[in-house]
């Protein structure tokens, strides 16, 4: 159970903008993406940028209920992953894991785990493994090398490097340099990168710099009111994969 | 590059980024839920290379040759000296070394980051830089760097200092800068503050908001910050890298004063980094000294807060007294700041850096002792570090070694010493 290399991933917030539309999008993206990240709608998506924050606010259902509208995410992509804020589930990691398992997700990614609950990393890994899931980790470009190395030793599904300060907002950062630096630390761990990805050139240079997978979120969501245009974005981005 | 008179051999070639060696990850800056994205705003106000440096994954960031050349012309490496007079005064055989950043032409460590920041603004095509200043040390450094690099400088200086530190205002103008007292009449934040309190003494947080607002009002302007942001601390690490080369023995204690954390980080981070990587300095203690007028390290909360009182910049996770905190006027204006840089806050929380606060009277008394025993009048900010050095030295066994950062001289702060001497 892993993700093929190189890969294009898509981030969606569950039941945004509505249950019906969310399912329609999932049906549409089948075959166009190699993995899916399904956001669990939360009231406090603090590490996300303005567009994805808006999707959390506007999702039709909230919390794990939103995720459960689909009973088998593996119909839509080989490696569906749930993404939630650990702050919401600090006392119920097991429950998230069992929901993930029940909808055939392969991991649960918590973007705030390292920043806010670094002392819970081992517990998180145990919960994932006990539930038949694999751990995955979110890091920023400034994550300590020793910790990045340690994460890679947990045999995670992937390590996700956030390229910018928040989703969807580009800054003049040499993201390729950061990807190459992190690649040098994680060995052959599957390295996913994302935040503000919006062109095949960007996909191409990120893969060249050492990423195995590239995730698109904000750029897709901005086009979601017109499914055709959103899907053609994915086809266009795939053109950046080698 | 100039030939003959400046050998570059001892000017460090890289800045050190401690983030990659910290015991825990640095939480990223975030946007508040209300209003426009502050993170997106950074694109419009800050030199681009600085934004990259704020998020770099490199442990060592190369210093451009042009910047190293200016460092050398301005007097880097700065001297590392033995405070033999102060040692005699304490008289218990403790050895005291200090790094003298006051030897730079601006009189403080601030040039170490003013030079690269103005350089990167210039590289971006900016014609003007805008910034805040407390005591005026930062404003003076920006004025000097701007004169050397060829851009205009506009400085918002906290009003209490603007009134009491006239010489610094005059010197900034000598270097060609425009200086406004903050709160000023040129930005909406200044006007609002004056409306609420016509006698507002100003605060660094407010001056930052004014400088940013001013940057947004015109073309070709860039905002550059004097402390707190991680790239500022990183630029200052030339101090500690030089000190590691210069000091003949391993310090038991390293001390610096803290406004936002840049001179403290500049001296200590190369040492702390080595320790975190298991490459020495296991027994060295690190002591950060703040002013009781702004005691964020000893009394602040660790939370996301704005670095500026107007809330224009992204929120950062730090030890803070709240961005609306207005410290009482103090002669150590450079320490009158509500928060401490995220990496320093984290190191204090982790117990790697100790913290202590002194009143300005306690600090200035120590400053006078230092002046009379070493011949250098310290900046009132640096006197806070000296106070801690004296108090600690008295408790330490013979032969112990202390290193501290004399972040600036106080030759333009006679008003501060008037009452204690
Ligand atoms: C001489 C001197 N020391 C220390 C400081 C405090 O700032 P920081 O903590 O960033 O070094 C200042 C700030 O203006 C200063 O002028």
């Amino acid at each position: 159970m892993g993700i093929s290399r190189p890969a294009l991933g898509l981030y969606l917030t569950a039941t945004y903008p509505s249950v019906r539309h969310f399912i329609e999008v999932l049906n549409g993206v089948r075959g166009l993406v190699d993995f899916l990240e399904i956001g669990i709608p939360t009231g406090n998506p603090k590490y996300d940028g303005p567009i994805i924050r808006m999707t959390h606010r506007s999702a039709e259902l909230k919390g794990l209920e939103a995720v459960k509208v689909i009973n088998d995410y593996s119909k839509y992509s080989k490696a569906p992953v749930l993404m939630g804020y650990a702050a919401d589930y600090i006392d119920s990691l097991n429950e998230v894991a069992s929901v993930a398992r029940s909808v055939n997700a392969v991991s649960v990614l918590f973007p705030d785990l390292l920043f806010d609950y670094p002392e819970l990393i081992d517990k998180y890994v145990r919960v994932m493994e006990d539930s038949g899931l694999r751990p995955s980790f979110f890091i920023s470009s400034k994550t300590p090398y020793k910790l990045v190395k340690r994460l890679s030793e947990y045999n995670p599904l992937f390590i996700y490097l956030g390229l910018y300060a928040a989703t969807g907002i580009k800054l003049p950062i040499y993201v390729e340099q950061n990807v190459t630096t992190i690649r040098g630390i994680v060995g052959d761990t599957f390295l996913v990168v994302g935040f503000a990805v919006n062109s095949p050139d960007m996909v191409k240079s990120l893969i060249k710099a050492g990423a195995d997978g590239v995730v698109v979120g904000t750029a897709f969501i901005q086009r979601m009111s017109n499914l055709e245009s959103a899907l053609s974005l994915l086809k266009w981005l795939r053109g950046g994969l080698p | 590059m100039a030939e003959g008179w400046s050998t570059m051999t001892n000017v460090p070639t890289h800045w050190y980024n401690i983030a990659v060696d910290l015991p825990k990850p640095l939480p990223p800056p975030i946007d508040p839920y209300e209003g426009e994205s502050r993170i997106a705003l950074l694109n419009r106000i800050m030199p681009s290379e600085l934004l990259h440096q704020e998020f770099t994954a490199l442990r060592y960031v190369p210093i451009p040759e042009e910047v190293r050349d200016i460092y050398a012309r301005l007097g880097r490496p700065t001297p590392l000296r033995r405070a033999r007079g102060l040692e005699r005064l304490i008289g218990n055989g403790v050895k005291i070394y200090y790094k003298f950043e006051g030897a730079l032409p601006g009189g403080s460590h601030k040039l170490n980051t003013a030079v690269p920041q103005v350089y990167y603004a210039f590289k971006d095509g900016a014609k003007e830089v805008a910034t805040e200043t407390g005591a005026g040390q930062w404003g003076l450094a920006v004025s000097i760097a701007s004169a050397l690099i060829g851009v205009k400088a506009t400085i918002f200086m906290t009003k209490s200092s603007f009134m009491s530190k006239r010489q610094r205002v005059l010197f900034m103008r000598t270097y060609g800068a425009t200086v406004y007292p903050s709160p000023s009449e040129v930005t909406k934040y200044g006007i609002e503050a004056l409306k609420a309190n016509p006698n507002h003494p100003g605060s660094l947080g407010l001056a930052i908001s004014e400088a940013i607002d001013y940057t947004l009002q015109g073309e070709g302007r860039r905002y550059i910050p004097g402390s707190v942001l991680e790239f500022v601390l990183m630029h200052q690490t030339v101090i500690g890298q030089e000190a590691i080369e210069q000091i003949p023995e391993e310090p038991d204690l390293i001390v610096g004063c803290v406004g936002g954390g840049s001179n403290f980080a500049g001296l200590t981070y190369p040492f702390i980094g080595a320790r975190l990587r298991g490459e020495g300095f296991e027994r060295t203690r690190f002591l950060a000294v703040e002013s009781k007028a702004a005691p964020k390290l000893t009394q602040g909360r660790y939370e996301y807060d704005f670095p500026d009182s107007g809330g224009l910049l992204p929120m950062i996770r730090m030890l803070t007294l709240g961005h609306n905190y207005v410290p009482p006027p103090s002669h150590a204006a450079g320490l009158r700041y509500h928060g401490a840089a995220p990496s320093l806050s984290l190191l204090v929380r982790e117990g790697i850096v100790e913290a202590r606060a002194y009143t300005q009277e306690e600090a200035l008394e120590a400053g006078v002792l230092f002046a009379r025993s070493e011949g250098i009048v310290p900046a009132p900010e640096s006197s806070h570090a000296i106070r801690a050095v004296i108090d600690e030295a008295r408790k330490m066994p013979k032969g112990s070694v202390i290193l501290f950062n004399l972040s600036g001289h106080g030759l333009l702060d006679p008003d501060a010493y008037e009452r204690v001497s």
Side-chain angles (χ1 to χ4, degrees):
Chain A
M1 171 180 76
I3 307 172
S4 52
R5 291 176 158 95
L8 180 69
L10 172 66
Y11 171 85
L12 295 171
T13 303
T15 76
Y16 169 81
S18 65
V19 174
R20 191 182 56 82
H21 203 119
F22 173 61
I23 296 173
E24 219 172 273
V25 171
L26 284 174
N27 280 314
V29 303
R30 216 188 295 231
L32 289 177
V33 292
D34 305 294
F35 62 104
L36 275 173
E37 270 182 59
I38 303 297
I40 311 171
T42 173
N44 190 14
K46 67 175 172 182
Y47 297 124
D48 278 295
I51 300 289
I52 292 183
R53 282 182 177 187
M54 178 278 295
T55 65
H56 283 273
R57 266 198 315 276
S58 322
E60 184 174 335
L61 302 177
K62 307 293 170 192
L64 291 168
E65 290 316 302
V67 169
K68 292 185 204 157
V69 299
I70 301 292
N71 54 27
D72 180 8
Y73 283 94
S74 69
K75 285 191 301 203
Y76 308 104
S77 104
K78 268 181 273 171
V81 172
L82 299 190
M83 201 196 95
Y85 277 81
D88 296 340
Y89 302 104
I90 215 60
D91 299 317
S92 53
L93 287 177
N94 280 311
E95 189 193 338
V96 190
S98 83
V99 169
R101 181 77 212 196
S102 73
V103 296
N104 283 336
V106 293
S107 180
V108 186
L109 176 67
F110 291 113
D112 55 343
L113 180 71
L114 265 65
F115 303 127
D116 297 331
Y117 307 100
E119 67 285 356
L120 293 186
I121 293 173
D122 283 315
K123 179 173 173 194
Y124 159 79
V125 171
R126 217 172 327 112
V127 169
M128 287 295 115
E129 286 171 351
D130 290 352
S131 312
L133 305 171
R134 281 176 73 185
S136 51
F137 299 102
F138 177 85
I139 64 171
S140 77
S141 54
K142 294 189 97 176
T143 306
Y145 293 173
K146 256 190 228 165
L147 178 58
V148 175
K149 181 107 185 56
R150 184 181 134 206
L151 298 177
S152 69
E153 286 160 3
Y154 286 113
N155 185 29
L157 179 65
F158 57 74
I159 289 178
Y160 183 135
L161 170 65
L163 298 170
Y164 297 100
T167 49
I169 305 173
K170 264 196 191 157
L171 291 171
I173 298 172
Y174 305 149
V175 291
E176 291 84 1
Q177 185 186 76
N178 288 346
V179 171
T180 304
T181 304
I182 300 296
R183 165 55 73 201
I185 304 169
V186 300
D188 60 5
T189 303
F190 198 97
L191 181 61
V192 168
V193 304
F195 283 20
V197 171
N198 61 2
S199 75
D201 282 348
M202 205 174 158
V203 172
K204 192 171 177 176
S205 68
L206 289 167
I207 299 277
K208 187 155 164 255
D212 297 306
V214 177
V215 180
V216 57
T218 298
F220 183 90
I221 289 163
Q222 282 172 318
R223 282 164 218 230
M224 251 171 68
S225 58
N226 177 343
L227 188 55
E228 278 315 303
S229 134
L231 297 179
S232 64
L233 173 77
L234 293 181
K235 289 176 203 148
W236 187 56
L237 291 178
R238 282 206 83 85
L241 293 179
Chain B
M1 198 190 304
E3 277 168 48
W5 56 276
S6 121
T7 64
M8 301 280 286
T9 43
N10 291 321
V11 180
T13 54
H14 291 74
W15 293 300
Y16 169 58
N17 169 24
I18 200 169
V20 304
D21 291 319
L22 287 174
K24 286 183 180 170
L26 265 189
I30 63 170
D31 273 323
Y33 285 105
E34 326 70 52
E36 302 271 296
S37 168
R38 278 48 164 199
I39 295 171
L41 177 73
L42 295 178
N43 277 319
R44 290 168 55 204
I45 59 173
M46 276 198 193
S48 55
E49 188 73 23
L50 298 177
L51 291 173
H52 167 62
Q53 291 180 356
E54 191 68 7
F55 297 99
T56 185
L58 295 180
R59 177 181 276 143
Y60 298 106
V61 174
I63 305 176
E65 275 309 304
E66 294 89 330
V67 171
R68 288 186 74 220
D69 183 41
I70 298 178
Y71 277 169
R73 283 165 58 199
L74 294 177
R76 295 223 75 83
T78 55
L80 178 93
R81 293 202 183 129
R82 182 89 180 258
R84 294 198 189 265
L86 187 63
E87 288 177 10
R88 265 196 299 278
L89 196 74
I90 296 168
N92 66 351
V94 169
K95 297 187 243 177
I96 301 173
Y97 294 86
Y98 64 93
K99 187 75 170 147
F100 186 34
E101 291 301 298
L104 295 171
S108 82
H109 66 293
K110 301 286 184 180
L111 269 166
N112 300 329
T113 184
V115 171
Q117 291 200 54
V118 173
Y119 170 78
Y120 291 129
F122 176 77
K123 282 271 175 186
D124 269 2
K127 302 276 182 283
E128 179 178 0
V129 294
T131 193
E132 73 284 347
T133 194
Q137 299 269 27
W138 168 239
L140 189 55
V142 170
S143 305
I144 297 171
S146 299
L148 295 179
I149 290 165
V151 303
K152 182 173 173 328
T154 297
I155 316 287
F156 291 84
M157 184 169 185
T158 53
K159 183 157 338 119
S160 55
S161 299
F162 185 89
M163 306 310 282
S164 60
K165 311 270 183 205
R166 292 304 291 177
Q167 292 96 333
R168 276 213 189 85
V169 176
L170 297 176
F171 277 123
M172 285 186 253
R173 290 178 177 156
T174 301
Y175 286 108
T178 302
V179 189
Y180 295 107
S182 168
S184 78
E185 304 271 1
V186 297
T187 76
K188 61 176 182 286
Y189 297 93
I191 293 166
E192 267 167 35
L194 287 172
K195 219 188 302 160
N197 175 9
N199 297 317
H200 198 303
S203 72
L204 275 176
L206 176 59
I208 297 175
S209 297
E210 290 216 80
I212 292 171
D213 192 48
Y214 177 82
T215 302
L216 288 167
Q217 286 172 32
E219 288 294 301
R221 293 178 185 165
R222 281 287 177 275
Y223 167 72
I224 58 175
S227 190
V228 191
L229 297 188
E230 292 298 322
F231 64 77
V232 180
L233 275 58
M234 195 177 78
H235 296 157
Q236 294 292 354
T237 59
V238 291
I239 305 171
Q241 293 183 68
E242 291 171 5
I244 287 182
E245 294 292 313
Q246 292 166 315
I247 197 162
E249 48 198 334
E250 192 163 315
D252 298 291
L253 173 69
I254 306 183
V255 184
C257 66
V258 173
S262 73
N263 89 86
F264 178 84
L267 177 62
T268 59
Y269 281 9
F271 291 87
I272 296 176
R275 145 106 142 255
L276 292 169
R277 295 192 303 276
E279 295 168 7
F281 307 109
E282 287 84 14
R283 62 189 173 87
T284 307
R285 291 167 53 213
F286 302 94
L287 176 58
V289 187
E290 60 186 3
S291 161
K292 280 213 166 135
K296 59 266 180 177
L297 297 176
T298 51
Q299 292 178 41
R301 296 220 306 246
Y302 186 60
E303 60 190 21
Y304 272 104
D305 191 13
F306 293 108
D308 61 311
S309 64
L312 296 175
L313 291 172
M315 304 175 88
I316 52 180
R317 177 95 67 88
M318 61 179 172
L319 284 164
T320 174
L321 299 163
H323 63 280
N324 286 320
Y325 180 77
V326 180
S330 147
H331 287 295
L335 308 188
R336 290 178 72 240
Y337 182 71
H338 66 273
S343 57
L344 176 57
S345 297
L346 191 146
L347 287 164
V348 169
R349 299 251 317 162
E350 292 297 304
I352 294 165
V353 169
E354 302 164 40
R356 183 179 304 164
Y358 285 113
T359 65
Q360 64 169 333
E361 290 71 25
E362 292 168 322
L364 291 172
E365 266 170 34
V368 170
L369 286 181
F370 188 83
R372 292 180 185 171
S373 56
E374 291 304 322
I376 297 171
V377 176
E381 291 83 1
S382 318
S383 292
H384 287 70
I386 297 171
R387 177 65 201 228
V389 167
I390 294 173
D391 287 356
E392 287 298 311
R394 292 200 164 120
K395 294 186 284 188
M396 292 167 78
K398 183 171 181 206
S400 304
V401 178
I402 301 179
L403 166 64
F404 78 93
N405 202 4
L406 186 54
S407 56
H409 69 63
L411 290 180
L412 295 178
D413 306 277
D415 52 312
Y417 288 99
E418 202 177 351
R419 291 183 306 163
V420 285
S421 49

